Amino acid sequence: MDADRAAWEQRSVVRVVPPVEPRKLAKVPFVELADGRLQGVVSSGSDIERVYVSSITAGTHALSCSTNNNRPCGALHGYACKHIRMLADEAVLQYGMDRVARYLRVEVAEHGDLINSLNRLVERTPAAVVFSRFLRHLAYLEVPESTEPLAELHWFPAMGAVR
Amino acid sequence: MLDVQLGELGSGSPAGVDEALELVAGFDDALVHGFARIGEEPAAALSALAGALAASPLGDRIGESVEKVVAGSIGDEHLAALAGGRAALTGAVHDALLGSLDAALGRTRAAWEAAPGTGDHPDNLLAGCRVWLRELAIVGWRGVDHDVVSSSDQAIEALLAVPELRGLAVLLDGLAAELRASCPVSTMEHVPARRWADLWSRALLLSQSGPWNGGAEQVSGRLLILGADVHEHATVVRVQVHGVFEPAGGAPARLVRTSVAAAKVDTIVGPAVWRLMGGHPVLLGALAEHRTLEITDMPLLGGGDLVWHDDRARAGEEADPFATARVQLGAAVAAPVPPLDRHPVRIAEPVFIEGYTVDGETLELGGGNMLALDLDRLPSSTPLTPELVAASTACLGLLHWDGGRWTLQPIAVQATVKKKPVAVHTGDWAMGPTDPKVVKAEAKAGDAVAVLRERAGRLLRK
């Protein structure tokens, strides 16, 4: 076991970030585990110009949801609004239940539901931080292609599914 | 590649490789704990590194830098000297490995000719990177938390806007994503010490005065594709094509690489990634249709990288990569590796192998010599699967070295499926998947790129 560990630590190419699973992006275009939160952006069902910024904080499990203009989500009081539910469902699709639960430090019973496993503290975190991370995420699609040799990428071979 | 060649490559490492990597491991361990309060063991490891390089041109600077760092004075120039010392060691390991591989294959490699520097780069951006890398060195991987990772955001965003600094941008972005996913690193069971120290060292060297691609010659001729390798992390995908280049006018054929990288986000995965490189239809079309490429006045860098310009190429007749490999691969002249790119991880030598049996993850040639297959490196964006490799009778692959052994990454196979011969290449889906089942699954999942572009159109620039 120790030999395996030493071998892994002394390899240049190892998988550190587990691969994410493909999912439909139409309703929840952005989900991430970052800054100590599960956070993301949920498209409004009624207004194509509006999005909701939702998050669940790791450890405290505080819930937050507001529009990108910082207007609090009217449906969030005492229990999770549908935006937070959608965010959690899509996060589980993207990262798998284990990884999300571990990140949020929440105990989920086998076949249990993530949201029902949280206590329901509401604590609004500023939407601007998450929204600007989403805009930064979208901005990648505007970065032009490159045909430079980029030898750095030899550390990042594309890997298939975990077998 | 023949059984006797594989036998010659042997199972052990060339002389000195293990000793050099032990020094590297000592440095890597020091970086795990950070240079802020350096313990006895890491201090001894850094001194050993300095000792080993004492007679080299870097000797004095590394010796002095180790003294300063151990004494708690961690300046940019000291860290740069340490990264340079580590790169000298990994470079020597690379040279020993590639030399033994070339000898075993009987491959001729052109000599490196010093090339002029690439020019000036905005130093404020590079300085921003150095600040972050210095912070990482001080806290060590074990000290990395969310705040340390987030502090790289601005520097990376700025780098992405500068085409010449793209390599540094994708490197730091990949490292930051791995650190973010591992936060807080103090609770991580094992730290990928070699890997992160590799990335840190290369980033530090790149952030001194930018990349070192050097000068280019303009070349014309015919490119025969051998196959494609795919590189990817959350925010980039790159296809690197290996091929044999026949210069116009009859000079000897050369082994070259050419590549296209596109920025992406983590939710764009699988065959959809090819669409991001759609700005290069001639190259992608030739990959998918197995055609030659006629090239006019394209820059070829000293390290054998053809800097692809889609408008300076046109597709020619059909050409089977296996035929190219059988006829041309043996005699083609390999390119030298730019000095600062010399690291074992860059070794990706195309070889053609047949007459073997596959047992699980090992390929056995007739005379009893074995070669490990790297089946993790079969990307989900391609039709090449472990099952096809297991059923194969001939294989085009890239030889890599990592963790003390050689492995073969298949990039194309000839196999028998349902009693029919088939040939499958990693680039077969370059113009979109050809398997109806995959096409259907893709259609069902929806077009991630289109959804995100729509969102970007509405929400960006407001």
Side-chain angles (χ1 to χ4, degrees), chain B residues 95-377:
Chain B
D95 289 357
L97 291 167
L98 193 60
S100 69
L101 180 59
D102 283 344
L105 294 174
R107 186 161 285 176
T108 310
R109 190 169 299 274
W112 174 254
E113 286 168 33
T118 324
D120 294 331
H121 300 289
D123 190 59
N124 57 332
L125 293 188
L126 298 178
C129 299
R130 292 196 298 269
V131 168
W132 188 58
L133 293 165
R134 180 164 176 269
E135 191 182 358
L136 290 177
I138 290 171
V139 301
W141 303 124
R142 286 288 183 201
V144 171
D145 59 18
H146 291 295
D147 290 341
V148 173
V149 178
S150 301
S151 64
S152 68
D153 287 356
Q154 267 193 323
I156 293 170
E157 204 174 335
L159 285 179
L160 280 166
V162 185
E164 304 80 51
L165 298 178
R166 188 69 166 273
L168 182 54
V170 298
L171 173 60
L172 291 180
D173 216 5
L175 174 59
E178 292 186 6
L179 294 173
R180 180 171 278 125
S182 310
C183 265
V185 180
S186 56
T187 63
M188 216 180 163
E189 204 176 344
H190 307 305
V191 173
R194 169 69 46 83
R195 174 177 177 78
W196 284 352
D198 275 353
L199 300 178
W200 179 86
S201 304
R202 182 159 178 106
L204 198 63
L205 296 179
L206 279 168
S207 61
Q208 299 305 309
S209 52
W212 39 73
N213 294 330
E217 55 174 320
Q218 304 289 313
V219 297
S220 300
R222 189 165 77 140
L223 178 65
L224 299 156
I225 293 172
L226 288 167
D229 188 10
V230 185
H231 300 135
E232 185 176 8
H233 66 50
T235 57
V236 69
V237 60
R238 186 266 286 274
V239 58
Q240 183 164 54
V241 176
H242 291 258
V244 175
F245 177 64
E246 298 173 325
R254 299 154 79 163
L255 280 175
V256 297
R257 307 174 177 190
T258 191
S259 59
V260 177
K264 70 176 198 78
V265 295
D266 56 353
T267 42
I268 301 173
V269 289
V273 298
W274 294 102
R275 278 204 292 276
L276 298 169
M277 298 179 271
H280 298 82
V282 179
L283 180 63
L284 264 51
L287 259 184
E289 294 169 14
H290 308 143
R291 291 184 181 278
T292 62
L293 286 154
E294 300 292 339
I295 283 163
T296 311
D297 292 334
M298 215 179 276
L300 178 63
L301 299 172
D305 288 286
L306 204 51
V307 183
W308 193 256
H309 287 70
D310 220 50
D311 56 351
R312 300 186 200 173
R314 61 182 177 79
E317 71 270 29
E318 284 187 34
D320 175 9
F322 282 97
T324 301
R326 283 172 201 273
V327 178
Q328 302 240 52
L329 182 54
V333 178
V337 182
L340 282 169
D341 285 342
R342 292 180 193 173
H343 184 291
V345 83
R346 190 187 179 278
I347 298 174
E349 282 299 304
V351 291
F352 169 68
I353 304 190
E354 61 182 337
Y356 55 79
T357 53
V358 177
D359 176 16
E361 305 208 346
T362 311
L363 183 151
E364 187 180 338
L365 279 156
N369 284 304
M370 319 264 261
L371 182 59
L373 290 164
D374 193 345
L375 299 178
D376 285 340
R377 293 178 77 141

Side-chain angles (χ1 to χ4, degrees), chain B residues 16-27:
Chain B
V17 163
D18 292 344
E19 291 81 354
L21 288 178
E22 205 165 305
L23 292 168
V24 172
F27 175 94

